[in-house]
Amino acid sequence: MKVIEAKNITKVYNADKVPVNALRGVSFSVDKGEFTAIVGPSGCGKSTLLNIVGGLDSPSEGEITIDGKDLSNLKENKLIDFRLNKIGFVFQSYNLIPVLTAKENISLIMELQGLSKKARDDRAMELLKAVGLEGKEHKKPSELSGGQQQRVAVARALASEPSFILADEPTANLDSVSTNNLLDIMAEMNREKGTTFIFSTHDQRVINKARRVIKLDDGLIVSDDNMVLNP
Amino acid sequence: MLFTIAWRNVWRQKVRSLVIIGAMVVGLWGLIFAIGFMSGFMDSYLSNALKYEYSHIQVHHPDFKQDQEIKYNIKQGIKKVAEIVTDTNVKAATHRTIVNAMIGSAKASSGVKVLGVDSLLEKEVTSFDQLITDGTYFKSVKRNPLLIGEKLAEKLKVKLRSKIVLTFQNLEGEIVSEAFRVAGIFNAKSPILNETVVMVNFRDINKNLGDKNLVSEIAVYLNDVDKIEESQEAISSILPDYRVEKWDKLAPELSLIVQQSKTNVFILVTIFMTALIFGIINTMLMAVLERIKELGMLMAIGMNRIKVFTMIIIETIFLGLVACPVGLFLGHLTISYFNGNGFDLSDYSQGLEKFGYETVIYPIISGNHYFMLSMGIFITTIVASIYPALKAIKLKPAEALRKI
């Protein structure tokens, strides 16, 4: 079952002045349960592609479909709702809200979805346990290590029960131990719960864990090694 | 959770928030004191003018105002006063005879307005007995006692028990002279009263006018000024053929001063609120600009623009909600202190007294003012938060997330 389908995506920045072709006709699809890494050198278009897949940016040309829904037809408010319910985000620099505790950071997204307090609390605790942060629920981001913050970010991304999680260089600011912990958690969730993960990364440790690696260069897919579908 | 985030965000940059909160507190405090001071200043001036000079309502013959002659008098005026005081809102009422006369002492002479009053009723209406600074209120002289203002006494070079001659026309148009003696010297708040008015018993003047019951004016002092319209109507029904006027018609200059005072308060509040708007915009704009990435993240994960907008508004309102009670409380404390102890302006007494102002001001401020100021702060904070909130929702999540 296809979760993401991208057809001939192009993205041109600064089209009126000095055009920069960030993506030049990228087509790919992602099935449910994939653990995919999008790799490539800086400036190859990884983040642009992730932004377009995540509905944060729109393509100059081409079509992006998530769960069968064409994102280009969605208006801003619908797109925000769509992101809320269908996509989980993990950012490079964690991007937790510093004034909220770990539990509140996770609960926020469920509150935006309109879940009851009890449901939010229960799920937040369950997710904190799943990412190994039981007992840290009342800690604010500043009281957690980078690895712990990123695990809270993963829990937050999972809180809305999205179709897939987009992680933009999630291990870039982490040490090896934290990176391995985080990758283990995400791999376990992918294995046991079938959560779809798509990473953009430079990190070889992430690439090694990925079951599919899409390599971008200069705005084009130069290789797509699907180790599950094409062993 | 929007409220939680907004509240905690207020205290994220404690110093910055405290600076704007402090500015609001000090501004509000100063504003309350300034309004209280102006209100106290005006209130004392107005109440002095009403208490010692105009009272709340006056009745005259329709032509009296144009030409203050004794032929324009109120028929059965003394009897009508007795009817007027039956109104429960009327605290006291009195009748007066008003005659323009020449006053002469052994040393000088001058033009004056002679008020022929019923001494007992008059002190109920105007509390004039409290203004006597030398001598007594009509008591120390048995025959034809007269009260004179300090300034006029000085001008005529007279003192207590000095003989004074009043010369005026009677109802027949004949010139009449009558000798009086100074029983008391008064210092009214009004310079006009001090320099151009003398007061005698109405019987002593009326006997020379040709009608012992002649009444030129009826003055009424009320219990509740807010019910002045009702009382005016009631008096009009007792004296339908005469002109019944409220104080603001009798003394338009007083009304103008009161109105001017209100305008001053409005200008002061407007200046304060405008300055506050810019202060808050500055603070909130900084708060938004330093959180661009965070706001981008919130919009990326699914917080819609209305919620982001609301969050910024709530955050700003919280600043006002912290500052407002403190400012109101400090303002109230200050007003209460000076209301009890007075604000001494005796260093400027000469100038103030010349214009009929008190030298000790007792600031007052109404509950309505507190309410209006609170609402003003509330509205100002909302208005000031709109621009930063708009700035926040115009962010594009993808771009905002790239900000360092």
Side-chain angles (χ1 to χ4, degrees):
Chain A
M1 182 190 166
K2 287 193 187 343
V3 180
I4 301 166
E5 192 156 18
K7 285 183 192 163
N8 202 25
I9 300 290
T10 65
K11 180 69 184 178
V12 183
Y13 289 113
N14 226 358
D16 304 338
K17 295 172 186 171
V18 185
V20 177
N21 293 300
L23 294 173
R24 299 188 293 163
V26 171
S27 299
F28 74 104
S29 61
V30 175
D31 286 336
K32 187 163 174 55
E34 281 195 23
F35 202 72
T36 300
I38 299 172
V39 301
S42 291
C44 70
K46 295 189 300 288
S47 294
T48 303
L49 184 59
L50 239 62
N51 282 342
I52 289 172
V53 170
L56 296 174
D57 208 347
S58 54
S60 304
E61 276 177 39
E63 192 179 287
I64 180 86
T65 309
I66 308 285
D67 276 353
K69 191 141 196 153
D70 185 359
L71 293 196
S72 57
N73 293 333
L74 292 180
K75 293 203 166 152
E76 181 62 29
N77 278 342
K78 292 276 179 197
L79 201 56
I80 291 174
D81 275 350
F82 191 80
R83 287 200 299 266
L84 175 64
N85 295 303
K86 296 283 181 186
I87 308 169
F89 290 92
V90 178
F91 305 98
Q92 181 180 331
S93 48
Y94 332 131
N95 285 3
L96 298 174
I97 298 176
V99 294
L100 296 183
T101 63
K103 187 175 146 193
E104 287 167 339
N105 264 290
I106 298 166
S107 297
L108 174 65
I109 204 155
M110 292 183 275
E111 188 174 327
L112 294 174
Q113 286 181 309
L115 265 67
S116 70
K117 189 173 184 319
K118 169 128 188 13
R120 294 196 309 257
D121 286 350
D122 290 350
R123 179 145 173 81
M125 290 310 293
E126 182 190 312
L127 287 165
L128 278 167
K129 192 177 172 187
V131 297
L133 289 175
E134 209 174 5
K136 305 273 187 196
E137 59 268 26
H138 299 304
K139 299 280 184 194
K140 288 196 176 158
S142 59
E143 298 165 315
L144 298 171
S145 69
Q148 288 172 328
Q149 286 186 57
Q150 197 61 302
R151 278 190 270 160
V152 174
V154 170
R156 180 181 65 185
L158 288 164
S160 61
E161 296 184 324
S163 297
F164 61 94
I165 288 178
L166 285 177
D168 188 8
E169 311 225 17
T171 57
N173 293 338
L174 302 182
D175 58 28
S176 333
V177 177
S178 302
T179 297
N180 286 332
N181 276 342
L182 188 75
L183 287 172
D184 287 345
I185 287 166
M186 292 197 284
E188 190 183 327
M189 282 174 176
N190 172 255
R191 245 188 345 265
E192 291 182 3
K193 309 225 168 174
T195 311
T196 310
F197 282 90
I198 300 152
F199 307 91
S200 76
T201 187
H202 287 109
D203 193 333
Q204 194 55 48
R205 290 164 300 187
V206 181
I207 298 168
N208 292 343
K209 286 263 181 189
R211 283 185 278 133
R212 181 182 174 193
V213 178
I214 298 172
K215 192 171 181 189
L216 276 181
D217 196 9
D218 203 16
L220 287 168
I221 294 180
V222 291
S223 70
D224 186 349
D225 301 323
N226 194 327
M227 286 153 232
V228 173
L229 299 174
N230 305 304
Chain B
M1 204 173 285
L2 277 189
F3 285 91
T4 309
I5 298 175
W7 174 250
R8 290 184 193 168
N9 275 336
V10 167
W11 302 110
R12 200 158 153 180
Q13 294 283 347
K14 279 197 186 72
V15 174
R16 190 175 61 207
S17 294
L18 285 173
V19 165
I20 188 69
I21 288 169
M24 288 162 90
V25 167
V26 172
L28 194 55
W29 185 7
L31 200 57
I32 288 171
F33 182 72
I35 293 172
F37 184 81
M38 276 198 271
S39 301
F41 205 65
M42 284 320 305
D43 196 61
S44 71
Y45 180 70
L46 186 63
S47 68
N48 280 343
L50 295 178
K51 192 172 171 188
Y52 299 120
E53 198 174 347
Y54 295 103
S55 55
H56 293 122
I57 292 173
Q58 287 187 5
V59 187
H60 299 101
H61 186 280
D63 297 324
F64 181 80
K65 237 183 176 177
Q66 280 178 328
D67 193 359
Q68 292 194 5
E69 287 190 30
I70 50 173
K71 64 181 177 184
Y72 301 126
N73 53 56
I74 301 166
K75 303 292 174 212
Q76 296 186 302
I78 297 173
K79 201 176 146 194
K80 296 294 179 186
V81 168
E83 277 183 56
I84 288 168
V85 292
T86 57
D87 180 348
T88 50
N89 192 35
V90 172
K91 187 179 176 191
T94 190
H95 55 86
R96 295 172 185 147
T97 306
I98 299 173
V99 183
N100 290 314
M102 283 298 293
I103 188 167
S105 67
K107 304 252 172 89
S109 63
S110 179
V112 287
K113 185 155 109 177
V114 180
L115 294 186
V117 302
D118 179 317
S119 60
L120 292 177
L121 292 179
E122 186 67 34
K123 70 176 183 181
E124 296 301 318
V125 174
T126 58
S127 311
F128 216 87
D129 55 326
Q130 294 169 15
L131 301 179
I132 303 297
T133 54
D134 196 8
T136 61
Y137 180 69
F138 290 114
K139 278 184 186 164
S140 53
V141 172
K142 279 191 181 168
R143 189 171 174 274
N144 288 355
L146 174 142
L147 305 180
I148 188 168
E150 280 178 357
K151 290 277 178 193
L152 187 57
E154 215 174 278
K155 188 176 172 185
L156 298 174
K157 297 186 173 60
V158 293
K159 50 190 181 182
L160 284 180
R161 303 195 64 79
S162 289
K163 186 178 167 186
I164 273 176
V165 176
L166 293 175
T167 305
F168 45 87
Q169 277 189 318
N170 65 14
L171 279 168
E172 304 296 322
E174 294 162 347
I175 303 294
V176 185
S177 291
E178 180 75 32
F180 290 81
R181 274 191 195 279
V182 177
I185 296 173
F186 62 81
N187 181 11
K189 302 295 172 190
S190 157
I192 295 171
L193 278 182
N194 280 341
E195 289 170 34
T196 63
V197 171
V198 292
M199 209 176 258
V200 299
N201 273 317
F202 81 98
R203 286 190 187 85
D204 298 337
I205 191 89
N206 282 7
K207 72 187 178 195
N208 294 293
L209 295 174
D211 179 357
K212 62 178 184 170
N213 292 321
L214 189 137
V215 172
S216 311
E217 175 178 283
I218 293 173
V220 182
Y221 202 81
L222 302 177
N223 287 313
D224 183 358
V225 191
D226 293 338
K227 293 180 183 166
I228 194 165
E229 268 84 16
E230 288 99 307
S231 295
Q232 184 187 23
E233 245 175 67
I235 295 166
S236 293
S237 67
I238 295 169
L239 292 154
D241 300 329
Y242 296 92
R243 192 195 289 261
V244 180
E245 292 171 301
K246 295 185 290 180
W247 68 268
D248 53 349
K249 283 275 178 201
L250 294 163
E253 73 281 5
L254 271 186
S255 179
L256 187 72
I257 290 171
V258 170
Q259 201 52 48
Q260 183 63 46
S261 171
K262 285 180 182 169
T263 308
N264 289 346
V265 167
F266 178 75
I267 291 170
L268 206 63
V269 171
T270 307
I271 291 170
F272 169 72
M273 296 297 174
T274 308
L276 191 60
I277 282 178
F278 286 105
I280 294 173
I281 286 177
N282 180 48
T283 301
M284 290 312 296
L285 206 52
M286 283 168 71
V288 166
L289 293 178
E290 74 182 13
R291 290 191 346 238
I292 284 180
K293 198 169 183 177
E294 187 178 312
L295 293 166
M297 179 276 294
L298 285 170
M299 287 191 269
I301 66 168
M303 184 179 272
N304 64 37
R305 291 179 195 280
I306 294 170
K307 285 200 168 80
V308 173
F309 188 87
T310 309
M311 188 177 72
I312 303 292
I313 301 271
I314 294 171
E315 206 170 310
T316 321
I317 291 173
F318 276 143
L319 286 174
L321 282 182
V322 173
C324 196
V326 181
L328 291 177
F329 178 69
L330 288 177
H332 181 70
L333 271 189
T334 312
I335 293 289
S336 300
Y337 174 79
F338 283 111
N339 186 262
N341 297 287
F343 193 88
D344 192 359
L345 291 174
S346 50
D347 286 351
Y348 312 98
S349 59
Q350 276 190 321
L352 290 169
E353 281 170 358
K354 195 173 177 185
F355 292 100
Y357 290 109
E358 293 280 358
T359 54
V360 178
I361 305 298
Y362 296 89
I364 47 163
I365 189 159
S366 65
N368 195 35
H369 273 120
Y370 285 122
F371 176 73
M372 294 301 285
L373 286 172
S374 306
M375 289 309 291
I377 292 278
F378 183 70
I379 292 166
T380 301
T381 50
I382 289 179
V383 170
S385 61
I386 288 173
Y387 178 64
L390 285 175
K391 196 94 180 160
I393 61 167
K394 278 183 184 163
L395 293 172
K396 291 185 175 159
E399 287 171 19
L401 282 164
R402 280 199 291 271
K403 294 270 178 192
I404 295 165

